[in-house]
Amino acid sequence: ASTISCLEDIYTARFVKDTTHFKTQLKKGTGEEISNKSFTEFIYEFYQKKHKSNKKNMQQSCLDLVCSIDFHRKEMREADLFAGFLSQKFDTRDLVFFLYVRC
């Protein structure tokens, strides 16, 4: 899959998870707006679910993503932005805002 396609899949999955979490918190009335799970942790779990019982493929997918982002960073704004979320240059609130605006 292309780098952009992988990024879109990850962003979509995170948006779905965050909006589901937000709706649940609203129903409970707890006021906790966003998940406190880091984007890096989310990506790791994303690939764990995708590759289920094949840890080697999961680890390879994570490595491929990081290498691809690093390679394309200078020429693709999308890759550079993703790297910013991955390195936590941008925090979770920035990510949530980006995902909301992106839809």
Side-chain angles (χ1 to χ4, degrees):
S2 74
T3 301
I4 295 296
S5 174
C6 289
L7 302 185
E8 290 297 322
D9 291 347
I10 292 168
Y11 283 145
T12 299
R14 179 64 190 243
F15 180 76
V16 168
K17 182 174 179 142
D18 284 348
T19 54
T20 302
H21 175 79
F22 181 65
K23 288 176 186 176
T24 302
Q25 295 307 313
L26 276 176
K27 288 178 185 175
K28 289 181 179 178
T30 61
E32 186 181 321
E33 296 175 10
I34 57 176
S35 172
N36 56 6
K37 186 166 292 199
S38 76
F39 192 50
T40 308
E41 289 174 300
F42 174 79
I43 292 170
Y44 184 82
E45 289 177 0
F46 174 83
Y47 281 116
Q48 267 186 325
K49 288 177 187 172
K50 186 174 181 179
H51 295 289
K52 296 187 172 114
S53 62
N54 194 331
K55 188 173 182 177
K56 186 176 179 179
N57 283 350
M58 183 272 297
Q59 290 172 335
Q60 187 62 51
S61 291
C62 289
L63 182 61
D64 289 346
L65 175 68
V66 170
C67 289
S68 182
I69 292 301
D70 188 52
F71 180 79
H72 292 292
R73 235 183 138 151
K74 295 195 187 309
E75 65 210 33
M76 291 173 51
R77 279 191 265 166
E78 297 90 345
D80 192 46
L81 180 62
F82 190 88
F85 291 125
L86 197 59
S87 68
Q88 298 179 344
K89 175 181 175 184
F90 305 113
D91 66 14
T92 304
R93 290 186 184 276
D94 295 328
L95 175 63
V96 169
F97 177 77
F98 170 76
L99 295 174
Y100 180 75
V101 171
R102 179 180 157 272
C103 287

